[in-house]
Amino acid sequence: MKFSMKILLWTIIVMALALGFSGFYFVNYVFETSLEREVGQAVDESSILGFAFETAALSVPAKYSVLPNNTVEEIASNLERGGQSTGRLLRISDEEKNVLYTSDGFEMDDELLQQTGENIKTYRIIQVGEKYYIHTGTTVNALNRILYLENMKDVSEVFTEREMGFSLYRKVTLVMLFVGMVIMQIISSLLTKPVRLLTEATKRMAAGDYAYRAKQISQDELGQLTKDFNSMAGALEQNIQMLEEEIEAKEEFMGAFAHELKTPLTAIIGYADMLRSHKLDEEKSIMSANYIYTEGKRLETMSLRLLDIIVAGKEEAELQEVPVEPVFDYLEEMFVGRRKIEFYFEHEPGTVLAEINLIKTVLVNLVDNACKASEEGGRIEISGQALENGYRFAVRDYGIGIPEEELHKITKAFYMVDKSRARSKNGAGLGLALCVEILKIHHSELEIESEAGKGSCFGFILAKGGAKE
């Protein structure tokens, strides 16, 4: 059963119980009040009839010392006729409670009469056929006689009004329940709308639409639940996107790795086969051996860099306080005079917290990439600057540059902006990926500034010596 139907059903049940009990109490309260009023009037009327009977008995001639029975009947008849408009029924009994006079239609037992005594007034409510009466009893002291006067007052109208009240209230209750059901159907639909929207969002997300969000239509607890659900969905979408990107990166990595292996291996196998199966002159033999050596070195470099990336991504570096001068001396020794490029070194003195061999690897990769991006006779600037928050290394070239749309991809393994140019210079697209991993364990990151056709600047900041990590 739907939640909205449960709300509707329980609301109708509560309304029905509330209206039923309140209606019964209200109608019954009105009935009892009316009946109590009628009883009071009947008892008062009984007293009035007794007083009237005693008054009438006073007019009996003095020759009677005891009120005769025929006079009792005459007085009772007059009292009955005087109350015909009210449907009055009388019965008069003597001292022995023998009936002296009975009105037509007065068909009662003697139970109330037996309970009535001198100075004792009694009453009861009885049903005769389809009518209801208040049956009262009182004593009358008339001319040395104690008589018992009984009166029956028709109160059927009070009971009829009660039945009409119950009938009317049942109709009103049914109407109110119907109206309440319609109103509660609307209210329950509005109250459960956020739940329906969340259900729809859950189904959409289960079907793969992770960008779908539930609409927040209230600011209450359900609105907060919707907000939290959307936040959860956003985090889930982000995680799934990251997983998809990782899977895609791994697929690209495997494809690129296979391609990078295939190219040098094809050359190595081809030239090796040529040397094995043909007798070549000295020049062709040297050329073939050179190709084998060059492609073999490329395989070696790529393997070592892959190993470095794997190790750098899993190990924590042992950072030590080291001066920067030996690093720049090492770079000058590695590159100056060995490339047909102008190198400019400028650095401020300082110390950094680093694993020196790993940082040398980062800078060698950055300078090597700058060389590959520059033409012969180009200029490369290698600088070091002491900052308040650390020490900044930077490598700037004025070569081919990197298009803006490629900047976010260049740190991926095997990614190369210009594949033909990079391969012609024994590039494998692993240098920057290795740099990023090494800088991570130094709590730093690679900063890249580049513009196509104008060159690039790669830099990073290390903590100063004496500073805490």
Side-chain angles (χ1 to χ4, degrees), residues 216-236:
Q216 184 176 351
I217 59 174
S218 64
Q219 299 299 324
D220 55 9
E221 290 83 356
L222 289 176
Q224 184 62 41
L225 177 62
T226 302
K227 185 177 179 181
D228 294 341
F229 177 86
N230 288 336
S231 298
M232 180 196 70
L236 178 62

Side-chain angles (χ1 to χ4, degrees), residues 341-342 367 369-381 395-403 417-418 421 425 449-458:
I341 293 175
E342 296 181 12
V367 176
N369 283 345
C371 293
K372 293 172 183 176
S374 302
E375 301 293 341
E376 289 187 6
R379 175 188 176 98
I380 295 177
E381 299 172 356
V395 177
R396 180 179 293 277
D397 68 75
Y398 297 89
I400 61 173
I402 305 168
V417 178
D418 187 342
R421 181 184 180 92
K425 298 191 177 185
E449 299 175 8
S450 186
E451 187 176 350
K454 294 186 178 181
S456 306
C457 180
F458 291 81

Side-chain angles (χ1 to χ4, degrees), residues 30-146:
V30 173
F31 165 74
E32 289 179 355
T33 302
S34 299
L35 188 59
E36 186 177 352
R37 183 180 62 249
E38 292 293 336
V39 168
Q41 292 177 356
V43 172
D44 292 340
E45 185 178 355
S46 178
S47 298
I48 293 172
L49 286 174
F51 178 76
F53 192 96
E54 291 175 354
T55 303
L58 294 176
S59 62
V60 174
K63 63 179 181 177
Y64 296 107
S65 59
V66 178
L67 188 66
N69 288 342
N70 60 346
T71 304
V72 171
E73 294 177 4
E74 183 180 354
I75 294 173
S77 178
N78 291 333
L79 290 176
E80 180 185 355
R81 286 196 300 271
Q84 282 182 351
S85 59
T86 61
R88 182 183 298 162
L89 297 175
L90 301 177
R91 183 169 71 177
I92 300 205
S93 303
D94 60 13
E95 293 84 346
E96 303 300 328
K97 297 186 178 180
N98 296 316
V99 177
L100 299 177
Y101 177 83
T102 304
S103 300
D104 294 337
F106 194 108
E107 299 176 357
M108 285 291 106
D109 54 28
D110 295 337
E111 181 179 347
L112 185 69
L113 177 60
Q114 298 302 325
Q115 296 174 2
T116 306
E118 191 173 355
N119 299 322
I120 297 177
K121 296 180 179 180
T122 56
Y123 77 91
R124 64 176 177 173
I125 300 171
I126 57 174
Q127 181 181 6
V128 179
E130 296 181 357
K131 291 188 176 184
Y132 292 87
Y133 296 91
I134 297 177
H135 182 196
T136 61
T138 187
T139 57
V140 178
N141 190 350
L143 201 59
N144 298 321
R145 295 193 67 177
I146 301 299

Side-chain angles (χ1 to χ4, degrees), residues 214-366:
K215 184 179 179 182
Q216 184 176 351
I217 59 174
S218 64
Q219 299 299 324
D220 55 9
E221 290 83 356
L222 289 176
Q224 184 62 41
L225 177 62
T226 302
K227 185 177 179 181
D228 294 341
F229 177 86
N230 288 336
S231 298
M232 180 196 70
L236 178 62
E237 182 186 14
Q238 186 176 3
N239 290 336
I240 291 175
Q241 186 176 357
M242 290 174 60
L243 289 173
E244 289 176 347
E245 289 177 355
E246 288 182 5
I247 293 172
E248 183 181 357
K250 288 180 180 179
E251 291 177 350
E252 291 178 356
F253 180 90
M254 295 301 296
F257 184 64
H259 187 274
E260 290 295 330
L261 284 177
K262 180 180 178 182
T263 303
L265 284 175
T266 300
I268 290 171
I269 293 171
Y271 282 106
D273 184 62
M274 186 182 297
L275 289 172
R276 182 179 63 85
S277 60
H278 297 81
K279 188 175 182 179
L280 304 176
D281 56 35
E282 184 178 356
E283 182 180 356
K284 288 184 178 180
S285 296
I286 293 174
M287 182 189 68
S288 299
N290 184 60
Y291 271 113
I292 291 173
Y293 175 79
T294 302
E295 294 303 311
K297 290 296 289 184
R298 190 149 79 94
L299 276 176
E300 180 188 33
T301 301
M302 182 173 60
S303 300
L304 291 174
R305 286 187 174 178
L306 278 172
L307 182 61
D308 287 341
I309 290 175
I310 293 171
V311 172
K314 293 183 178 179
E315 290 186 355
E316 286 291 331
E318 296 182 3
L319 305 185
Q320 298 178 349
E321 187 174 331
V322 293
V324 299
E325 284 78 7
V327 177
F328 287 98
D329 293 341
Y330 174 79
L331 293 176
E332 286 190 46
E333 183 181 348
M334 281 286 296
F335 292 99
V336 175
R338 301 188 181 186
R339 307 285 179 99
K340 296 178 180 180
I341 293 175
E342 296 181 12
F343 292 94
Y344 290 87
F345 289 85
E346 182 180 1
H347 69 276
E348 298 176 357
T351 58
V352 294
L353 283 174
E355 207 289 294
I356 191 65
N357 290 323
L358 292 179
I359 293 303
K360 285 180 180 179
T361 301
V362 172
L363 289 169
V364 167
N365 274 285
L366 294 181

